[in-house]
Amino acid sequence: MEIAMDPLFLAWSYFRRRKLQQCSDICTKILHDNPFDQAAWNLKTRALTEMVYIDEVDVDQEGIAEMMLDESSIAQVARPGTSLRLPGTSQGGGPTPAVRPMTQSGRPITGFVRPSTQSGRPGTMEQAIKTPRTASTARPVSSASGRLIRLATTLFEYIFHHENDVKNGLDLAAQATEHAQFKDWWWKVQLGKCYYRLGLYREAEKQFRSALNHQEVVDTYLYLAKVYQRLDQPVTALNLFKQGLDHFPGEVTLLTGIARIHEEMNNISSATEYYKDVLKQDNTHVEAIACIGSNHFYTDQPEIALRFYRRLLQMGVYNCQLYNNLGLCCFYAQQYDMTLSSFERALALVASDEEQADVWYNIGHVAVGIGDLSLAYQCFKLTLAFNNDHAEAYNNLAVLELRKGHVEQIGDLQSSYAAAQKAEDAFPEHVDTQQLLKQLREHFAVL
């Protein structure tokens, strides 16, 4: 004799096992028979929300509108060490920009993919249009701390995350805050999130500050720091993180936030120290391991960097970027037997044309190192076949053409000058390209 399982219990089972679509379908059947079942409504909205939920704590990238219509900026030229948009030179004996690759906005390339550090703030509208935007997040998706399991809170999260209806979400949060006599910290945080999404950063700051006065919560510190980073006030954000550490000693997310800001301001040595503090609390923290490994690589310590990347491999990280970094570390550590096999693995795991281009570029870089210029030339050509805006590949092709004596000002890439011009178009601030163009122009002036 079969005993039928209660549909709502089965739906909860699916929800706990992250089978969200099956959970939603069962709740729909329950509501078809009883439209006033609040438990089913609650569970269905939670399932639909979890399907599209992203961690709001991460600093998202600025779009073209925020770039061109920034009303929060007071001074056009910030003092050194006080702005994320003008990070300046490295501090504390870290690597120089000539050693560590930089983005077009002047930020150092980090060891871990984060939305706020991919392309930075484009300088012109043309660059903003050309710059690809990513929607990925660095931190894993997690549930917000202290979320109250009530129909009202579930409804808000459904409106905010699934429907992306910030205006109605703001109205609901405002009414709930008023109903709670302005004493519920959770609803004040939701108000702050809505204001932030609408670009009202000062109003968001007030709500987050008020929420902290009622209840000290780690997520509120992270949201408020996110506001200060968008307002380009990294020093205030750092002080806020340190204030949070006084209440939550050793909190990994706060330490990581401090390390990220130092890294974005090109203060690599301080960032590395904080990432080491992160590893003292959580020795499996992927971002900290990757960033420390990247820093060791760019400070001419490939053997130590190789240990960190192998640690990631032992932890189960298995992607193109990791094998790409392993290949470079093996090459500079003179472990040539592992170099090509690592790049082969990287090519087998590529997920986009940009990744394919980066791997071929690094293989070409290795080919230059071993003196096989013919292979290097083909690799850089393959790089441009997958990414036609790869400035470094254009620059290296220009150098190879210069070695061949092809310096004429002709329209294709069979001359050093034409390739260097392409590199300048793709990345106008690239130092090596500017030096090469200067050398070529001096050559034409002599002729």
Side-chain angles (χ1 to χ4, degrees):
M1 177 180 178
E2 291 188 9
I3 300 177
M5 183 179 293
D6 179 72
L8 186 60
F9 182 84
L10 180 60
W12 272 108
S13 177
Y14 279 131
F15 182 83
R16 287 193 297 268
R17 289 179 286 162
R18 306 295 298 172
K19 296 182 179 181
L20 302 176
Q21 187 60 53
Q22 292 94 319
C23 173
S24 175
D25 294 340
I26 293 177
C27 290
T28 301
K29 294 178 182 178
I30 296 174
L31 292 171
H32 180 75
D33 299 330
N34 182 10
F36 299 101
D37 191 332
Q38 290 192 8
W41 277 115
N42 188 325
L43 184 56
K44 181 175 180 178
T45 53
R46 288 187 64 190
L48 293 174
T49 301
E50 290 293 333
M51 289 182 188
V52 296
Y53 183 83
I54 61 172
D55 197 340
E56 287 287 318
V57 169
D58 269 321
V59 179
D60 49 338
Q61 274 195 331
E62 296 175 292
I64 298 177
E66 290 88 348
M67 178 194 69
M68 304 304 294
L69 304 175
D70 186 4
E71 297 179 353
S72 62
S73 177
I74 298 176
Q76 294 298 319
V77 181
R79 290 182 292 117
T82 62
S83 173
L84 294 174
R85 297 166 188 170
L86 299 171
T89 58
S90 61
Q91 306 170 17
T96 62
V99 175
R100 190 184 185 100
M102 313 292 285
T103 64
Q104 293 190 15
S105 64
R107 291 180 180 178
I109 292 179
T110 63
F112 194 82
V113 177
R114 293 190 291 270
S116 61
T117 58
Q118 290 312 288
S119 57
R121 188 180 178 92
T124 64
M125 179 66 78
E126 290 75 12
Q127 290 180 359
I129 294 173
K130 289 172 61 178
T131 302
R133 298 291 176 181
T134 60
S136 60
T137 58
R139 298 176 69 229
V141 173
S142 61
S143 59
S145 300
R147 182 181 300 155
L148 304 180
I149 308 302
R150 299 196 304 264
L151 187 59
T153 61
T154 308
L155 178 60
F156 170 82
E157 292 187 342
Y158 173 79
I159 294 173
F160 186 81
H161 292 287
H162 188 273
E163 296 299 315
N164 198 25
D165 190 347
V166 182
K167 183 178 181 300
N168 283 328
L170 179 63
D171 292 339
L172 175 59
Q175 293 180 24
T177 303
E178 184 177 357
H179 178 73
Q181 299 179 349
F182 305 96
K183 296 180 180 179
D184 192 322
W185 67 270
W186 191 89
W187 281 112
K188 290 186 177 183
V189 170
Q190 310 318 307
L191 272 174
K193 288 164 62 177
C194 291
Y195 282 131
Y196 180 87
R197 188 78 72 86
L198 293 172
L200 304 173
Y201 304 125
R202 288 303 180 185
E203 286 75 6
E205 176 193 6
K206 293 177 183 177
Q207 295 298 328
F208 292 138
R209 284 286 184 187
S210 180
L212 281 176
N213 291 333
H214 287 289
Q215 181 72 36
E216 297 281 348
V217 179
V218 174
D219 278 6
T220 311
Y221 280 105
L222 298 175
Y223 286 127
L224 186 55
K226 177 180 176 180
V227 171
Y228 288 131
Q229 287 175 265
R230 178 52 66 91
L231 291 173
D232 195 25
Q233 297 180 8
V235 176
T236 306
L238 286 174
N239 293 333
L240 179 68
F241 279 131
K242 292 175 182 178
Q243 177 186 342
L245 286 173
D246 292 337
H247 294 88
F248 303 97
E251 173 59 38
V252 170
T253 54
L254 298 177
L255 291 170
T256 304
I258 296 175
R260 289 178 178 179
I261 293 178
H262 280 301
E263 192 172 40
E264 291 179 23
M265 294 176 67
N266 205 10
N267 193 354
I268 305 299
S269 58
S270 296
T272 303
E273 292 302 317
Y274 276 101
Y275 278 128
K276 289 179 180 178
D277 291 338
V278 171
L279 290 182
K280 291 178 183 178
Q281 304 296 329
D282 179 8
N283 58 10
T284 61
H285 197 278
V286 175
E287 179 177 348
I289 295 173
C291 290
I292 294 175
S294 175
N295 182 51
H296 281 300
F297 177 81
Y298 288 120
T299 51
D300 295 328
Q301 297 174 313
E303 298 87 356
I304 301 178
L306 191 59
R307 291 169 54 189
F308 283 91
Y309 289 131
R310 283 178 174 171
R311 171 62 176 162
L312 291 176
L313 200 61
Q314 292 170 350
M315 289 168 51
V317 179
Y318 189 77
N319 55 34
C320 170
Q321 292 85 354
L322 178 56
Y323 279 105
N324 191 23
N325 293 343
L326 283 170
L328 286 174
C329 289
C330 289
F331 174 72
Y332 284 104
Q334 298 182 2
Q335 298 184 17
Y336 301 117
D337 55 331
M338 295 293 296
T339 301
L340 289 181
S341 61
S342 297
F343 283 125
E344 287 175 355
R345 289 283 187 90
L347 287 173
L349 295 172
V350 292
S352 65
D353 287 345
E354 290 186 359
E355 291 182 2
Q356 189 100 333
D358 288 338
V359 176
W360 280 115
Y361 172 78
N362 286 323
I363 295 175
H365 193 68
V366 170
V368 171
I370 63 177
D372 193 342
L373 301 185
S374 177
L375 174 60
Y377 189 87
Q378 295 300 323
C379 289
F380 294 140
K381 282 286 191 178
L382 284 169
T383 301
L384 296 176
F386 291 104
N387 182 6
N388 199 36
D389 292 326
H390 203 289
E392 290 83 359
Y394 280 120
N395 180 78
N396 289 359
L397 279 176
V399 173
L400 293 177
E401 293 292 351
L402 180 62
R403 288 190 177 186
K404 296 179 181 179
H406 300 162
V407 295
E408 297 81 4
Q409 300 185 54
I410 58 178
D412 57 19
L413 292 181
Q414 299 301 317
S415 76
S416 179
Y417 190 81
Q421 283 185 318
K422 285 282 189 179
E424 184 183 34
D425 293 340
F427 192 174
E429 290 81 17
H430 195 242
V431 178
D432 293 342
T433 301
Q434 294 300 326
Q435 292 177 347
L436 180 59
L437 281 171
K438 180 180 178 181
Q439 180 182 352
L440 291 171
R441 286 164 184 158
E442 291 175 353
H443 171 79
F444 292 130
V446 172
L447 294 179

